[in-house]
Amino acid sequence: MDAPAPARTMAVSTPSLRHSRLEDIQALCAGTLFVAMALVLFGQAGLLTGGTAGAAFLLHYTTGVGMGLCFFLLNLPFYGFAWKQMGGEFTIKTFAAIALLSVLTETAPRFVTIQALHPAFAAVFGGLMLGTGCLFLARHRASLGGATVVALYLQERRGWRAGKVQLAIDCSVLLAALAVVPPARVGWSVLGAMVMGGFLWINHRPGRYVGS
């Protein structure tokens, strides 16, 4: 007697669902607000982060120019690369997020003042908030420019994990900060970068999230 033929399993493919305009706006605002609050924590603890934001912190600490303005100006050279490699929609969303973050970074300290803040808490909680905000933006095809654009580009085109790339860039910037910032602050800042990079490494994998 012949054995019954094995039942065929039908592969069900889930189509990618595009985000609505309202969903994109909500994610851009929420993600940028998360990042802005993280930068407020870092600023009040005397810490900094990696990537373009870290370079903006260094300029802010050394020149006294507003951190938000430094961040906006440092990102200008990356828009051409983003437009060419990642597309117009990504670039426009990224520009909107950077402009909003620049404004929030300048205005938030007027409304948020923390009397006591241990750098360890600022590093860990701020790193988690940075990772969460960047994840919101990445899942809606946006970023905060600079190193994040490069990290997302390498993930999409080369399959490199964005968290790994971001962590490598961030640590490089923070090591360069030893020439300007006291070593203890740099050490806590490296912890924040590791928390952020680890969060993205675990939660932002190629192919895991199919929204666009």
Side-chain angles (χ1 to χ4, degrees), residues 9-157:
T9 58
M10 297 181 63
V12 179
S13 59
T14 303
S16 176
L17 300 177
R18 290 191 61 84
H19 294 120
S20 68
R21 185 68 58 83
L22 179 61
E23 289 171 336
D24 283 340
I25 294 174
Q26 178 270 334
L28 290 177
C29 292
T32 305
L33 183 58
F34 267 66
V35 173
M37 291 307 301
L39 295 182
V40 169
L41 286 179
F42 282 3
Q44 295 200 10
L47 308 183
L48 47 87
T49 185
T52 315
F57 263 123
L58 288 178
L59 281 177
H60 169 63
Y61 289 148
T62 56
T63 66
V65 177
M67 195 277 180
L69 178 60
C70 292
F71 180 72
F72 183 82
L73 294 176
L74 284 175
N75 273 296
L76 291 178
F78 289 95
Y79 292 125
F81 173 82
W83 189 281
K84 181 179 179 181
Q85 301 295 341
M86 306 293 287
E89 180 183 356
F90 175 87
T91 305
I92 292 171
K93 290 179 181 179
T94 296
F95 178 83
I98 290 172
L100 180 58
L101 180 61
S102 299
V103 173
L104 289 174
T105 304
E106 290 294 321
T107 58
R110 303 176 187 176
F111 304 100
V112 179
T113 302
I114 301 175
Q115 299 299 326
L117 179 62
H118 194 283
F121 178 83
V124 174
F125 189 55
L128 288 173
M129 292 182 73
L130 279 174
T132 303
C134 289
L135 186 63
F136 282 174
L137 297 173
R139 288 182 168 180
H140 287 257
R141 287 197 53 77
S143 77
L144 290 173
T148 311
V149 172
V150 176
L152 292 175
Y153 168 75
L154 291 175
Q155 174 163 293
E156 288 192 7
R157 302 301 172 88

Side-chain angles (χ1 to χ4, degrees), residues 164-179:
K164 285 184 178 181
V165 177
Q166 185 77 48
L167 181 59
I169 295 173
D170 289 351
C171 288
S172 299
V173 172
L174 291 172
L175 288 175
L178 284 170

